Amino acid sequence: MMEHLAQILLLLAVAIAVVVTFQRMHVPTSLGYLLVGGILGPHTAGPTVSVPEFETLAEFGVVFLLFTIGLNFSLPHLQALRHQVLGLGTGQVVFTTMLVGIIVWLAGLPVAAALVFGAVFAQSSTTIIASLLTERGEENTQHGRLGLAMSVFQDVTAVPFLVIIPALGASVAMDVLASALGWVITKAVLAFALVFIAGRWLLRPLFHFVSAHPSLEMFTLAVLLVALLAAWTTNSLGLSLAFGGFLAGMMLGETEFRHQVESSIRPFRDVLLGLFFIGIGMRFEPAAIPPIWYWTILGALLILVSKTLIVAAMVRRIGVDPQVAWRSGLLLSVGGEFGLALTAIALDANVIDMGLGQIAITSVLLSMIAGAVLVRFNGVIATRLVSAPQTEVPSMPELLETPEQRVVIGGYGRVGHTIAVLLHSSGVPFVVFDTDPKRVARGRSDGHPVSYGDISDLELLSAIHVERASLVVITVDKSTTALATISHLRRTCPQVPVVARARDLETSTRLLEAGAVHAYPETIEASLCLGATALQILQVPAEDIDQAIQDVRDWDYRPVLENERNRQ
């Protein structure tokens, strides 16, 4: 036990040192984790980390990542993207497999080995794409959603290879192969039906029950239960764990709990994803590269170039503007961890030998590193490839990317509801968060975008990209919650103005000192409205009334506060 503890401490220390350095250099953290795996792997000099169940634990990082992606791809969104997702996702895998397979077959490989290379090179890493898009805040752009949808459904369209590749090594008859493939598809449909029924009839009541007893711990446990139960269900049917996580996320993506669910799962996802990338880095074998270095470089280039061109051409063909097409192609150019899994299956089935296997593995790893750079700079590269930059419109209305058109409201009580009504009548897009499920249900019945969530939750604020908001309005009853939220916003995104509601003058002063642009005390504001009405009845000019009230506000209500102190 102590031996493994020492290795875990070493792993954490090296990961912190490398990842912090990469963050300061503005290099994707996924590459930092890959380097950590290379440093602590069995194929390099120095200490080696070998912890039992490491890969199993790291695999749940992919489950939680696909779960998070599913939250943003609910059934209505998928229905809107059905032609793009099904047509483009399937077409990319088929065309890339055919193109790569023909090229390597012409280079002298057997047909079976050529098919394996085509299938391996056709895969893209949803993990790298999603994590880099999230880092850059591009996950809700047109190219981001399109690229993510295609990469997710690559995993679905790649499921048949799990049957075909072992059959190539066993020389199975075509009728047996077709039967096995049909059974896999049947199980995928069954898994979807099970999760769909559970999601429609059980998930919403479950989270209503949990949220009725405000406890972040219970809510987080409920999220973990749902994600892992869905993963266990698909795994029991012979499908991947990650597929179940994606299906569960899809079901929860239709509910008002989506944002709070995402904020609850983020810490687990990020840590376990880091372990996953470390495990990938440990596969890298530098000593095997010299004899095959030119083949691995050619393989990596074949992955990057073929998928970029195929995806860009397909996306452009459906009428998307050139810049979005190129950016989508660059996103999917990266190699995928599913390709590594298919390589392992091909090696076990003796479809390819160890030499070809090392070429495939190293080519995919190199393409993951180079592809991560292409993903990070996809906008710059795409602009160079087209004559005139195009302006794209974000495709997710609830999380608009244009900060001038987005307001975030914390609390849907009496004040929050009034503000929502005014914004809605003015045509200003907004999103509201409240921790009372009854208020959330009432707001959604009013036709307002109200979601369950704690506005002071830092993970929630990060998940909704509050830094892009044009305005944040805090209307919650608890002054401690308002103070914590305003203080965090001032530290992380001082460019976003914050307006707050206060019960009295003392609370208003504290909120202003914390960083609120305006903090309106309810009692004083009610008194000012009453005073203005009295002056209007007394036929005082409207200009004088407005000026008198504005003077009180401009002086942060000090004239009223001083009179109150004098009476005391």
Side-chain angles (χ1 to χ4, degrees):
M1 179 62 185
M2 294 306 295
E3 178 186 355
H4 294 322
L5 178 60
Q7 293 187 39
I8 292 172
L9 292 174
L10 176 63
L11 176 65
L12 292 175
V14 175
I16 291 173
V18 172
V19 173
V20 169
T21 302
F22 273 51
Q23 286 179 337
R24 290 185 176 180
M25 296 169 59
H26 301 288
V27 177
T29 55
S30 54
L31 298 182
Y33 286 119
L34 286 173
L35 178 60
V36 172
I39 294 173
L40 300 178
H43 304 298
T44 55
T48 300
V49 171
S50 178
V51 180
E53 308 299 332
F54 177 87
E55 292 186 2
T56 302
L57 183 63
E59 188 176 354
F60 285 104
V62 182
V63 173
F64 292 145
L65 174 69
L66 269 292
F67 178 77
T68 305
I69 293 173
L71 291 173
N72 292 322
F73 284 94
S74 61
L75 284 177
H77 290 139
L78 286 179
Q79 187 174 5
L81 291 170
R82 61 187 182 276
H83 299 299
Q84 298 174 347
V85 168
L86 296 178
L88 295 180
T90 304
Q92 185 270 317
V93 172
V94 171
F95 290 138
T96 305
T97 301
M98 291 176 57
L99 176 62
V100 172
I102 292 173
I103 291 175
V104 297
W105 175 70
L106 292 175
L109 291 187
V111 174
L115 178 61
V116 169
F117 270 82
V120 169
F121 286 12
Q123 308 307 312
S124 300
S125 175
T126 303
T127 309
I128 291 179
I129 294 172
S131 59
L132 290 178
L133 286 175
T134 301
E135 284 184 19
R136 295 182 54 79
E138 297 179 7
E139 68 271 28
N140 289 314
T141 58
Q142 187 177 358
H143 68 275
R145 290 183 62 80
L146 187 57
L148 272 176
M150 291 178 64
S151 66
V152 167
F153 277 82
Q154 275 183 2
D155 297 340
V156 179
T157 56
V159 168
F161 289 121
L162 299 177
V163 178
I164 295 173
I165 291 178
L168 292 175
S171 299
V172 177
M174 286 301 297
D175 57 339
V176 177
L177 178 61
S179 175
L181 185 57
W183 178 233
V184 169
I185 296 174
T186 301
K187 289 191 292 185
V189 173
L190 177 61
F192 178 82
L194 287 174
V195 176
F196 178 80
I197 294 172
R200 285 300 173 94
W201 294 98
L202 299 178
L203 290 186
R204 195 184 295 268
L206 170 65
F207 280 94
H208 269 292
F209 173 76
V210 173
S211 60
H213 306 80
S215 171
L216 186 58
E217 294 178 12
M218 290 300 101
F219 194 91
T220 302
L221 288 175
V223 173
L224 292 174
L225 172 64
V226 169
L228 295 179
L229 183 60
W232 174 81
T233 301
T234 54
N235 187 63
S236 299
L237 293 172
L239 304 171
S240 68
L241 291 167
F243 185 57
F246 175 72
L247 292 179
M250 282 175 55
M251 296 302 104
L252 284 172
E254 298 183 53
T255 71
E256 61 270 29
F257 303 100
R258 177 168 68 88
H259 299 296
Q260 189 64 48
V261 166
E262 183 177 358
S263 71
S264 298
I265 206 70
R266 280 167 67 97
F268 299 95
R269 181 199 68 187
D270 294 343
V271 171
L272 293 177
L273 265 183
L275 293 179
F276 174 80
F277 282 118
I278 290 174
I280 294 293
M282 288 181 174
R283 296 171 180 261
F284 190 64
E285 188 175 354
I289 293 180
I292 59 172
W293 66 269
Y294 46 91
W295 291 114
T296 59
I297 292 178
L298 288 175
L301 288 174
L302 182 58
I303 294 174
L304 298 172
V305 174
S306 64
K307 288 195 290 187
T308 299
L309 295 178
I310 289 173
V311 173
M314 293 176 63
V315 174
R316 186 73 185 95
R317 187 173 179 80
I318 64 172
V320 178
D321 68 72
Q323 188 172 25
V324 174
W326 280 113
R327 295 183 78 169
S328 301
L330 291 168
L331 290 184
L332 289 162
S333 66
V334 62
E337 54 274 352
F338 202 89
L340 298 175
L342 293 179
T343 303
I345 293 172
L347 287 170
D348 293 338
N350 295 319
V351 182
I352 58 175
D353 57 31
M354 199 61 199
L356 292 176
Q358 190 60 50
I359 292 175
I361 291 174
T362 308
S363 296
V364 172
L365 289 175
L366 289 177
S367 72
M368 292 172 78
I369 296 173
V373 177
L374 296 181
V375 172
R376 182 174 181 82
F377 298 103
N378 69 85
V380 177
I381 298 173
T383 302
R384 296 284 183 90
L385 292 173
V386 296
S387 57
Q390 304 286 330
T391 301
E392 62 173 288
V393 180
S395 56
M396 189 173 180
E398 217 176 59
L399 292 178
L400 288 176
E401 207 179 14
T402 309
E404 293 79 14
Q405 295 182 329
R406 184 179 174 216
V407 177
V408 176
I409 303 174
Y412 194 72
R414 173 173 44 84
V415 178
H417 170 73
T418 302
I419 295 173
V421 170
L422 293 174
L423 292 176
H424 182 73
S425 62
S426 301
V428 178
F430 62 94
V431 61
V432 190
F433 294 96
D434 199 290
T435 55
D436 186 343
K438 293 182 179 179
R439 288 180 179 176
V440 173
R442 185 173 69 248
R444 295 177 82 87
S445 66
D446 292 339
H448 295 156
V450 184
S451 298
Y452 179 86
D454 183 356
I455 194 64
S456 64
D457 186 350
L458 306 187
E459 292 293 340
L460 174 65
L461 293 175
S462 176
I464 66 173
H465 299 291
V466 71
E467 70 278 0
R468 302 180 199 164
S470 59
L471 175 66
V472 175
V473 183
I474 308 296
T475 69
V476 293
D477 291 325
K478 294 183 179 179
S479 59
T480 53
T481 300
L483 285 169
T485 306
I486 294 172
S487 299
H488 173 72
L489 292 174
R490 287 285 69 81
R491 289 193 308 270
T492 58
C493 44
Q495 78 281 2
V496 179
V498 181
V499 177
R501 158 224 181 181
R503 283 192 172 275
D504 48 39
L505 282 170
E506 182 182 356
T507 305
S508 173
T509 302
R510 293 168 59 195
L511 294 176
L512 290 170
E513 291 174 350
V517 176
H518 297 288
Y520 296 101
E522 291 181 337
T523 53
I524 302 301
E525 282 295 324
S527 300
L528 290 177
C529 290
L530 183 61
T533 302
L535 293 175
Q536 288 174 357
I537 294 175
L538 296 173
Q539 298 183 349
V540 176
E543 295 80 3
D544 294 343
I545 297 174
D546 294 339
Q547 185 62 49
I549 292 177
Q550 192 59 45
D551 287 343
V552 174
R553 289 173 176 162
D554 290 343
W555 282 85
D556 295 333
Y557 306 98
R558 267 180 270 176
V560 179
L561 185 60
E562 289 172 358
N563 291 335
E564 201 172 272
R565 287 173 179 169
N566 291 335
R567 287 199 305 272
Q568 294 175 351

